Short mmCIF file of all heavy atoms in Angstrom, two decimals:
data_model
loop_
_atom_site.label_atom_id
_atom_site.label_comp_id
_atom_site.label_asym_id
_atom_site.label_seq_id
_atom_site.Cartn_x
_atom_site.Cartn_y
_atom_site.Cartn_z
N ALA A 11 4.96 -9.87 3.08
CA ALA A 11 5.71 -10.08 1.84
C ALA A 11 5.84 -8.79 1.07
O ALA A 11 5.20 -8.59 0.04
CB ALA A 11 5.02 -11.14 0.99
N THR A 12 6.66 -7.86 1.57
CA THR A 12 6.93 -6.65 0.80
C THR A 12 8.39 -6.27 0.97
O THR A 12 8.98 -6.50 2.03
CB THR A 12 6.04 -5.47 1.24
OG1 THR A 12 6.46 -4.30 0.53
CG2 THR A 12 6.12 -5.19 2.71
N LYS A 13 8.96 -5.72 -0.09
CA LYS A 13 10.34 -5.24 -0.01
C LYS A 13 10.37 -3.75 0.26
O LYS A 13 11.43 -3.15 0.34
CB LYS A 13 11.05 -5.54 -1.34
CG LYS A 13 11.22 -7.03 -1.55
CD LYS A 13 12.02 -7.34 -2.78
CE LYS A 13 12.24 -8.84 -2.83
NZ LYS A 13 12.15 -9.36 -4.19
N ASN A 14 9.19 -3.14 0.39
CA ASN A 14 9.09 -1.70 0.57
C ASN A 14 9.06 -1.39 2.08
O ASN A 14 8.09 -1.71 2.77
CB ASN A 14 7.82 -1.23 -0.13
CG ASN A 14 7.64 0.26 -0.05
OD1 ASN A 14 7.94 0.87 0.96
ND2 ASN A 14 7.12 0.83 -1.13
N LYS A 17 6.13 0.53 3.58
CA LYS A 17 4.94 -0.29 3.86
C LYS A 17 5.12 -1.09 5.15
O LYS A 17 4.21 -1.16 5.97
CB LYS A 17 4.71 -1.29 2.72
CG LYS A 17 4.24 -0.70 1.41
CD LYS A 17 4.03 -1.85 0.44
CE LYS A 17 3.59 -1.47 -0.94
NZ LYS A 17 3.45 -2.64 -1.80
N GLU A 20 4.49 0.97 8.23
CA GLU A 20 3.07 1.31 8.45
C GLU A 20 2.29 0.07 8.90
O GLU A 20 1.43 0.15 9.78
CB GLU A 20 2.47 1.89 7.16
CG GLU A 20 3.06 3.26 6.85
CD GLU A 20 2.43 3.95 5.63
OE1 GLU A 20 1.47 3.42 5.04
OE2 GLU A 20 2.91 5.02 5.27
N LEU A 35 10.46 -10.25 4.71
CA LEU A 35 11.19 -10.95 3.64
C LEU A 35 12.69 -10.98 3.89
O LEU A 35 13.40 -11.82 3.33
CB LEU A 35 10.90 -10.29 2.29
CG LEU A 35 9.59 -10.69 1.62
CD1 LEU A 35 9.46 -9.99 0.28
CD2 LEU A 35 9.49 -12.21 1.42
N GLU A 46 4.91 -8.57 -11.08
CA GLU A 46 3.59 -7.96 -10.88
C GLU A 46 3.01 -7.57 -12.23
O GLU A 46 3.12 -6.44 -12.66
CB GLU A 46 3.72 -6.76 -9.95
CG GLU A 46 4.11 -7.17 -8.55
CD GLU A 46 4.36 -6.00 -7.63
OE1 GLU A 46 3.62 -5.01 -7.70
OE2 GLU A 46 5.30 -6.08 -6.85
N PHE A 51 -4.97 -4.22 -8.71
CA PHE A 51 -4.25 -4.35 -7.45
C PHE A 51 -4.56 -5.71 -6.82
O PHE A 51 -3.68 -6.36 -6.25
CB PHE A 51 -4.66 -3.22 -6.50
CG PHE A 51 -4.28 -1.84 -6.97
CD1 PHE A 51 -5.25 -0.92 -7.34
CD2 PHE A 51 -2.94 -1.46 -7.05
CE1 PHE A 51 -4.90 0.35 -7.77
CE2 PHE A 51 -2.58 -0.19 -7.48
CZ PHE A 51 -3.56 0.72 -7.85
N LYS A 58 1.28 -12.14 -5.19
CA LYS A 58 2.41 -12.04 -4.26
C LYS A 58 2.18 -12.90 -3.02
O LYS A 58 3.04 -13.65 -2.59
CB LYS A 58 2.62 -10.58 -3.82
CG LYS A 58 3.26 -9.69 -4.86
CD LYS A 58 3.71 -8.34 -4.26
CE LYS A 58 2.77 -7.21 -4.62
NZ LYS A 58 3.25 -5.86 -4.24
N ASP A 73 0.86 -6.61 0.00
CA ASP A 73 0.20 -5.32 -0.26
C ASP A 73 0.47 -4.93 -1.70
O ASP A 73 1.62 -4.93 -2.13
CB ASP A 73 0.82 -4.30 0.72
CG ASP A 73 0.49 -2.83 0.41
OD1 ASP A 73 0.59 -2.43 -0.78
OD2 ASP A 73 0.19 -2.09 1.35
N ASP A 74 -0.55 -4.65 -2.45
CA ASP A 74 -0.34 -3.99 -3.74
C ASP A 74 -1.11 -2.69 -3.68
O ASP A 74 -2.28 -2.67 -3.29
CB ASP A 74 -0.79 -4.83 -4.93
CG ASP A 74 -0.13 -4.32 -6.21
OD1 ASP A 74 1.12 -4.20 -6.23
OD2 ASP A 74 -0.83 -4.01 -7.18
N SER A 75 -0.43 -1.63 -4.03
CA SER A 75 -1.05 -0.32 -3.83
C SER A 75 -0.54 0.64 -4.88
O SER A 75 0.39 0.34 -5.62
CB SER A 75 -0.71 0.18 -2.42
OG SER A 75 0.67 0.02 -2.14
N GLY A 76 -1.14 1.81 -4.93
CA GLY A 76 -0.68 2.80 -5.88
C GLY A 76 -1.58 4.01 -5.93
O GLY A 76 -2.60 4.09 -5.23
N LEU A 77 -1.15 4.95 -6.76
CA LEU A 77 -1.85 6.21 -6.91
C LEU A 77 -2.61 6.20 -8.23
O LEU A 77 -2.03 5.83 -9.27
CB LEU A 77 -0.79 7.33 -6.94
CG LEU A 77 -1.29 8.75 -7.13
CD1 LEU A 77 -2.03 9.22 -5.87
CD2 LEU A 77 -0.13 9.70 -7.43
N GLY A 87 -1.52 3.97 -11.32
CA GLY A 87 -2.24 2.74 -10.99
C GLY A 87 -1.32 1.59 -10.62
O GLY A 87 -0.40 1.75 -9.79
N VAL A 88 -1.54 0.43 -11.26
CA VAL A 88 -0.71 -0.75 -10.92
C VAL A 88 0.75 -0.56 -11.35
O VAL A 88 1.61 -1.35 -10.98
CB VAL A 88 -1.26 -2.07 -11.52
CG1 VAL A 88 -2.52 -2.52 -10.81
CG2 VAL A 88 -1.49 -1.96 -13.01
N SER A 90 2.49 2.03 -10.43
CA SER A 90 3.03 3.07 -9.55
C SER A 90 4.49 2.86 -9.15
O SER A 90 5.26 3.81 -9.11
CB SER A 90 2.17 3.17 -8.28
OG SER A 90 0.91 3.71 -8.59
N ALA A 91 4.87 1.60 -8.85
CA ALA A 91 6.23 1.37 -8.35
C ALA A 91 7.28 1.62 -9.42
O ALA A 91 8.41 1.98 -9.11
CB ALA A 91 6.36 -0.05 -7.81
N ARG A 92 6.93 1.41 -10.70
CA ARG A 92 7.95 1.55 -11.72
C ARG A 92 7.66 2.66 -12.73
O ARG A 92 8.23 2.70 -13.81
CB ARG A 92 8.21 0.22 -12.44
CG ARG A 92 7.01 -0.66 -12.59
CD ARG A 92 7.36 -2.03 -13.11
NE ARG A 92 6.21 -2.63 -13.76
CZ ARG A 92 5.15 -3.11 -13.12
NH1 ARG A 92 5.11 -3.07 -11.80
NH2 ARG A 92 4.14 -3.61 -13.79
N ASP A 100 11.82 7.80 -5.77
CA ASP A 100 10.50 8.35 -5.44
C ASP A 100 10.37 9.76 -6.01
O ASP A 100 9.32 10.13 -6.53
CB ASP A 100 10.31 8.38 -3.92
CG ASP A 100 10.00 6.99 -3.35
OD1 ASP A 100 9.74 6.06 -4.14
OD2 ASP A 100 10.02 6.85 -2.11
N LYS A 103 9.67 9.77 -9.69
CA LYS A 103 8.29 9.36 -9.98
C LYS A 103 7.32 10.52 -9.74
O LYS A 103 6.42 10.79 -10.53
CB LYS A 103 7.90 8.16 -9.11
CG LYS A 103 8.57 6.87 -9.60
CD LYS A 103 8.06 5.67 -8.86
CE LYS A 103 8.69 5.49 -7.53
NZ LYS A 103 9.30 4.22 -7.25
N PHE A 123 -5.42 7.22 -3.56
CA PHE A 123 -4.51 6.12 -3.25
C PHE A 123 -5.36 4.87 -2.99
O PHE A 123 -6.39 4.96 -2.30
CB PHE A 123 -3.73 6.41 -1.97
CG PHE A 123 -2.40 7.07 -2.16
CD1 PHE A 123 -2.10 8.25 -1.49
CD2 PHE A 123 -1.42 6.52 -2.99
CE1 PHE A 123 -0.86 8.85 -1.63
CE2 PHE A 123 -0.18 7.12 -3.14
CZ PHE A 123 0.10 8.29 -2.45
N VAL A 124 -4.93 3.76 -3.53
CA VAL A 124 -5.64 2.48 -3.30
C VAL A 124 -4.65 1.49 -2.69
O VAL A 124 -3.49 1.42 -3.11
CB VAL A 124 -6.17 1.91 -4.64
CG1 VAL A 124 -6.88 0.58 -4.42
CG2 VAL A 124 -7.12 2.90 -5.31
N PHE A 157 6.74 8.02 1.98
CA PHE A 157 7.48 7.44 0.86
C PHE A 157 6.67 7.64 -0.42
O PHE A 157 5.56 8.19 -0.39
CB PHE A 157 7.79 5.95 1.11
CG PHE A 157 6.58 5.06 1.14
CD1 PHE A 157 6.19 4.32 0.02
CD2 PHE A 157 5.80 4.96 2.28
CE1 PHE A 157 5.06 3.51 0.04
CE2 PHE A 157 4.67 4.16 2.32
CZ PHE A 157 4.30 3.43 1.20
N GLY A 158 7.23 7.19 -1.52
CA GLY A 158 6.50 7.16 -2.79
C GLY A 158 5.96 8.53 -3.18
O GLY A 158 6.67 9.53 -3.21
N TYR A 159 4.66 8.57 -3.46
CA TYR A 159 4.01 9.78 -3.95
C TYR A 159 3.49 10.69 -2.83
O TYR A 159 2.77 11.66 -3.10
CB TYR A 159 2.86 9.40 -4.89
CG TYR A 159 3.33 8.61 -6.11
CD1 TYR A 159 3.29 7.22 -6.12
CD2 TYR A 159 3.84 9.28 -7.23
CE1 TYR A 159 3.74 6.49 -7.23
CE2 TYR A 159 4.28 8.56 -8.33
CZ TYR A 159 4.23 7.17 -8.32
OH TYR A 159 4.68 6.47 -9.41
N ASP A 160 3.84 10.40 -1.58
CA ASP A 160 3.33 11.20 -0.46
C ASP A 160 3.57 12.71 -0.63
O ASP A 160 2.68 13.51 -0.29
CB ASP A 160 3.94 10.72 0.87
CG ASP A 160 3.30 9.42 1.35
OD1 ASP A 160 2.22 9.08 0.85
OD2 ASP A 160 3.89 8.76 2.23
N PHE A 172 0.62 13.99 2.47
CA PHE A 172 0.94 12.84 3.31
C PHE A 172 2.39 12.91 3.80
O PHE A 172 2.72 12.39 4.86
CB PHE A 172 0.72 11.54 2.51
CG PHE A 172 -0.66 10.95 2.67
CD1 PHE A 172 -0.99 9.77 2.01
CD2 PHE A 172 -1.61 11.55 3.48
CE1 PHE A 172 -2.25 9.20 2.16
CE2 PHE A 172 -2.88 10.99 3.64
CZ PHE A 172 -3.19 9.81 2.97
N LYS A 180 -1.06 9.88 9.24
CA LYS A 180 -1.30 9.30 7.91
C LYS A 180 -2.06 7.98 8.05
O LYS A 180 -3.05 7.75 7.36
CB LYS A 180 0.03 9.09 7.17
CG LYS A 180 -0.16 8.43 5.80
CD LYS A 180 1.14 8.09 5.09
CE LYS A 180 0.85 7.20 3.88
NZ LYS A 180 2.05 6.69 3.20
N SER A 184 -5.25 6.91 5.85
CA SER A 184 -4.71 6.46 4.56
C SER A 184 -5.38 5.19 4.05
O SER A 184 -6.03 4.45 4.80
CB SER A 184 -3.20 6.22 4.67
OG SER A 184 -2.97 4.99 5.33
N HIS A 185 -5.22 4.97 2.77
CA HIS A 185 -5.66 3.75 2.10
C HIS A 185 -5.14 2.50 2.83
O HIS A 185 -5.87 1.57 3.09
CB HIS A 185 -5.18 3.77 0.64
CG HIS A 185 -3.71 4.09 0.49
ND1 HIS A 185 -3.11 5.14 1.14
CD2 HIS A 185 -2.73 3.47 -0.21
CE1 HIS A 185 -1.82 5.15 0.84
NE2 HIS A 185 -1.56 4.16 0.02
N ARG A 186 -3.84 2.53 3.21
CA ARG A 186 -3.27 1.35 3.88
C ARG A 186 -3.83 1.21 5.29
O ARG A 186 -4.10 0.10 5.76
CB ARG A 186 -1.74 1.45 3.91
CG ARG A 186 -1.03 0.20 4.46
CD ARG A 186 0.45 0.15 4.10
NE ARG A 186 0.61 0.12 2.65
CZ ARG A 186 0.92 1.20 1.91
NH1 ARG A 186 1.15 2.36 2.48
NH2 ARG A 186 1.01 1.10 0.60
P1 ITT X 1 6.36 -4.62 -2.87
O1 ITT X 1 5.81 -5.05 -4.20
O2 ITT X 1 7.61 -5.35 -2.48
O3 ITT X 1 5.33 -4.63 -1.77
P2 ITT X 1 6.53 -2.02 -4.12
O4 ITT X 1 6.99 -0.65 -3.68
O5 ITT X 1 7.06 -2.57 -5.43
O6 ITT X 1 6.81 -3.06 -2.95
P3 ITT X 1 3.83 -1.91 -5.22
O7 ITT X 1 4.13 -2.71 -6.42
O8 ITT X 1 2.54 -2.17 -4.49
O9 ITT X 1 4.95 -2.01 -4.10
O10 ITT X 1 3.91 -0.38 -5.64
C1 ITT X 1 3.29 0.55 -4.90
C2 ITT X 1 3.88 1.92 -5.23
O11 ITT X 1 2.82 2.87 -5.08
C3 ITT X 1 4.95 2.29 -4.21
O12 ITT X 1 6.24 1.94 -4.65
C4 ITT X 1 4.75 3.80 -4.12
O13 ITT X 1 5.43 4.44 -5.17
C5 ITT X 1 3.24 3.96 -4.35
N1 ITT X 1 2.54 3.96 -3.04
C6 ITT X 1 1.82 2.95 -2.47
N2 ITT X 1 1.38 3.30 -1.25
C7 ITT X 1 1.85 4.55 -1.04
C8 ITT X 1 1.76 5.44 0.04
O14 ITT X 1 1.14 5.12 1.18
N3 ITT X 1 2.36 6.63 -0.08
C9 ITT X 1 3.00 6.97 -1.20
N4 ITT X 1 3.17 6.19 -2.27
C10 ITT X 1 2.58 4.98 -2.19
#
Side-chain angles (χ1 to χ4, degrees):
T12 174
K13 293 185 175 141
N14 182 323
K17 289 182 181 179
E20 292 184 4
L35 278 182
E46 293 175 40
F51 295 113
K58 285 192 256 188
D73 167 314
D74 199 53
S75 47
L77 179 71
V88 288
S90 291
R92 34 189 204 286
D100 283 349
K103 286 187 280 234
F123 267 126
V124 178
F157 66 98
Y159 300 95
D160 284 343
F172 268 180
K180 177 185 169 186
S184 77
H185 50 313
R186 186 163 299 100

